[in-house]
Amino acid sequence: MSVIDILTRVDSICKKYDKYDADKLNGANVAGDDPFARLYASVDADINECVEKAEAAKQEKNRATVVALNAEIRRTKAKLLEEDLPKLQRLALKKVKGLTKEEFATRSDLVAALPDRIQSIPDGSSTATKKNGTWGASGSRTGGAIKFDTSDGNFDDEYFKGTDESNQFRREYEMRKMKQDEGLDVIGEGLETLKNMASDMNEELDRQVPLMDEMDEKVDRANTDLKNTNVRLRETVLQLRSSRNFCIDIILLCVILGIAAYLYNVLKNNTAAAFPPLRSELLLASLRSAAAAAAMSAVNITNVAVLDNPTAFLNPFQFEISYECLIPLDDDLEWKLIYVGSAEDENYDQQLESVLVGPVNVGTYRFVLQADPPDPSKIREEDIIGVTVLLLTCSYVGQEFMRVGYYVNNDYDDEQLREEPPAKLLIDRVQRNILADKPRVTKFPINFHPEPSTSTGQQQQEPQTSSPENHTGDDVSKPSTDQ
């Protein structure tokens, strides 16, 4: 099979399936709800196409191309006369809603004129037109004048009919062509994006180049100024710190130190001779301070474990307290648990529990302190939800010497209630969480063995030492340390 035959067959297959091309149908403006109008427009387009091919065949000098074009014209004419024309005749006789009698008659006249139009198209053969308007046998079959080389095969109508293999090939060709077109479209879009990005980068670089040049100039000037400054500074240091000046500085420093030592010895001797009682009083004061510091560590808390945590707000508090006593104590130790109800007003504070433990001898002790929960009615609703403070204090003879503070976080136990709090507080759904891993411990110096003569003075000072606010002015209180 020659190349001309292959091209002819491929072109005939393509033309055969042009009616399934949606783009071509849309381009031919074949639209509407009337089947007759759509089919007549398709037939009219095929007739015009055959006329154009006939004109092209007249002007073509290549015999093979002329034969291929004439074959396509004959196939199209046969299709129009055998398939499309009977359909049009049936549709022309079919009544359509909204169609007038004149339009109905016009359709019959258009259909009647189609056979003459189709048969008048030249196809390279002498046609014999029958009286009834049907398609006659072609001249090539009756010994027509056109002759061509058919050594590679015959070019009759049966030769150009599509087969299953050619149809499959056509479908695969169209599918791959569509995929290639889609891939090329994607590549084109990517290239367009890269082009825009490159253009933007180029514009940005053009704007940045002057700024970079200006920065380079400023850096060069700064480097030059720094070098000049270093040179001048080095010269100045060499002038000020010569070997001669260095020796003079050493001598002057020794003289100043000698004068200072002499003045210190003179003042020391004069102070000791003039104020001997004051010196003894200072010694006694230092001894008393040492004794107070020693007495401060008579009782030490070794551990405080928070039990049943986290838990509901209305559940009782439980603390396991471990402490050690370094010296025997005659009176009991008083342990208190205080709940801070408001950060602005101390009137909302509640003392949850107060217990006495003792007498206490030297050794290690451990007990569980249990206290009732705070009364919600004595706390403002806006202060219940949020963070507050819980204080655990220890006192001896009305003197507070140890305070452990915990942060307490009160919040709803449900995530939805936390995100959208109800208008009225639901105390049963509030959960209490004591931050037991971050306590704040504060120690206060007291006298664990008060003298009888000073017991009255101590009782008057009890209200001042019972709360931590009264220790703010005490200089000997130690800073808080994390346990």
Side-chain angles (χ1 to χ4, degrees):
M1 183 180 293
S2 63
V3 178
I4 297 176
D5 296 336
I6 295 174
L7 294 176
T8 304
R9 292 197 64 182
V10 170
D11 189 62
S12 64
I13 293 172
C14 294
K15 295 299 181 181
K16 183 178 180 181
Y17 292 94
D18 279 343
K19 63 181 179 180
Y20 301 108
D21 192 351
D23 295 336
K24 184 176 180 180
L25 294 177
N26 293 334
N29 294 324
V30 179
D33 296 333
D34 189 0
F36 178 85
R38 293 196 298 269
L39 184 57
Y40 184 84
S42 177
V43 171
D44 187 68
D46 292 338
I47 293 173
N48 294 332
E49 185 178 2
C50 290
V51 172
E52 293 177 359
K53 289 182 180 180
E55 295 294 332
K58 289 181 181 180
Q59 299 177 1
E60 184 63 41
K61 297 180 180 180
N62 191 340
R63 291 183 59 190
T65 304
V66 172
V67 170
L69 292 174
N70 290 331
E72 292 176 7
I73 294 172
R74 287 194 294 273
R75 286 195 300 274
T76 304
K77 290 169 65 176
K79 171 181 173 296
L80 293 175
L81 291 173
E82 296 175 2
E83 298 179 6
D84 297 336
L85 187 59
K87 292 181 181 179
L88 280 174
Q89 290 174 354
R90 289 193 298 270
L91 293 174
L93 299 176
K94 186 177 180 180
K95 294 182 179 181
V96 180
K97 185 178 181 180
L99 190 66
T100 61
K101 294 182 178 180
E102 291 78 6
E103 293 176 350
F104 187 77
T106 303
R107 287 189 173 188
S108 300
D109 296 337
L110 291 174
V111 174
L114 282 177
D116 295 333
R117 290 181 59 190
I118 296 172
Q119 293 177 0
S120 64
I121 300 174
D123 56 357
S125 63
S126 58
T127 59
T129 307
K130 295 183 179 181
K131 296 299 182 180
N132 56 1
T134 57
W135 175 252
S138 98
S140 61
R141 297 183 181 273
T142 60
I146 298 177
K147 296 181 180 180
F148 52 90
D149 186 10
T150 59
S151 59
D152 293 334
N154 55 349
F155 289 90
D156 54 0
D157 293 341
E158 297 292 336
Y159 179 79
F160 292 102
K161 289 185 178 179
T163 62
D164 295 338
E165 184 179 357
S166 62
N167 295 336
Q168 182 67 21
F169 173 77
R170 171 74 176 179
R171 287 192 293 271
E172 292 180 359
Y173 168 75
E174 293 294 339
M175 186 179 298
R176 294 188 180 184
K177 183 178 178 181
M178 291 174 60
K179 291 183 178 180
Q180 290 179 358
D181 292 340
E182 292 176 358
L184 291 174
D185 292 338
V186 174
I187 294 173
E189 293 177 359
L191 292 176
E192 186 68 21
T193 304
L194 292 175
K195 177 183 176 182
N196 296 333
M197 293 175 62
S199 178
D200 296 339
M201 292 173 64
N202 189 21
E203 294 178 359
E204 186 65 24
L205 289 175
D206 292 339
R207 289 194 295 267
Q208 295 293 337
V209 166
L211 298 177
M212 297 296 293
D213 295 340
E214 185 178 357
M215 290 177 62
D216 290 339
E217 294 178 359
K218 291 182 179 180
V219 170
D220 293 339
R221 288 198 299 269
N223 289 333
T224 304
D225 296 340
L226 184 59
K227 290 180 181 179
N228 296 333
T229 303
N230 289 335
V231 172
R232 291 196 300 269
L233 182 60
R234 188 180 297 107
E235 294 176 355
T236 304
V237 171
L238 292 176
Q239 292 177 0
L240 294 177
R241 289 299 177 187
S242 61
S243 59
R244 180 180 177 183
N245 293 335
F246 183 74
C247 294
I248 293 174
D249 293 341
I250 294 296
I251 294 172
L252 292 176
L253 182 60
C254 293
V255 172
I256 293 173
L257 291 177
I259 294 173
Y262 173 76
L263 294 176
Y264 174 75
N265 291 329
V266 171
L267 292 176
K268 184 178 179 181
N269 294 332
N270 293 337
T271 303
F275 307 101
L278 180 60
R279 191 176 182 186
S280 61
E281 291 178 1
L282 293 174
L283 181 60
L284 291 175
S286 62
L287 292 175
R288 290 175 181 174
S289 300
M296 180 180 176
S297 59
V299 177
N300 294 323
I301 296 178
T302 58
N303 185 40
V304 178
V306 182
L307 306 180
D308 191 18
N309 183 55
T311 185
F313 182 82
L314 299 178
N315 288 348
F317 291 92
Q318 295 183 18
F319 293 88
E320 186 182 63
I321 303 172
S322 301
Y323 65 95
E324 62 178 358
C325 184
L326 303 180
I327 60 175
L329 301 177
D330 297 334
D331 294 330
D332 298 339
L333 294 176
E334 183 181 9
W335 297 86
K336 295 181 181 180
L337 189 63
I338 301 173
Y339 183 86
V340 179
S342 176
E344 291 83 9
D345 192 354
E346 63 180 3
N347 294 327
Y348 293 99
D349 296 351
Q350 300 183 35
Q351 180 174 320
L352 306 180
E353 189 59 74
S354 176
V355 297
L356 296 175
V357 179
V360 184
N361 297 320
V362 177
T364 303
Y365 299 88
R366 182 175 61 185
F367 70 98
V368 176
L369 175 62
Q370 183 170 345
D372 295 332
D375 187 1
S377 61
K378 298 180 180 180
I379 307 174
R380 294 179 299 186
E381 289 189 1
E382 60 270 17
D383 293 332
I384 292 179
I385 300 297
V387 180
T388 184
V389 177
L390 187 67
L391 300 177
L392 176 64
T393 66
C394 186
S395 304
Y396 180 72
V397 194
Q399 304 176 84
E400 181 183 352
F401 66 90
M402 185 74 67
R403 177 182 298 178
V404 182
Y406 293 95
Y407 287 107
V408 182
N409 182 25
N410 298 322
D411 205 345
Y412 287 106
D413 57 357
D414 185 65
E415 183 69 22
Q416 185 175 2
L417 292 176
R418 287 195 291 268
E419 294 179 357
E420 298 178 0
K424 183 175 179 58
L425 179 67
L426 303 178
I427 193 64
D428 295 336
R429 302 298 301 275
V430 177
Q431 187 181 44
R432 180 185 67 220
N433 184 16
I434 301 175
L435 304 182
D437 57 340
K438 297 180 180 180
R440 302 293 295 178
V441 181
T442 306
K443 298 179 180 180
F444 304 97
I446 66 169
N447 187 4
F448 283 91
H449 294 286
E451 298 178 359
S453 59
T454 60
S455 60
T456 305
Q458 290 176 355
Q459 293 177 358
Q460 296 176 356
Q461 294 176 357
E462 283 182 3
Q464 297 179 355
T465 59
S466 60
S467 61
E469 288 77 12
N470 296 327
H471 290 284
T472 56
D474 207 345
D475 295 336
V476 296
S477 62
K478 293 185 179 181
S480 63
T481 58
D482 293 338
Q483 294 290 331

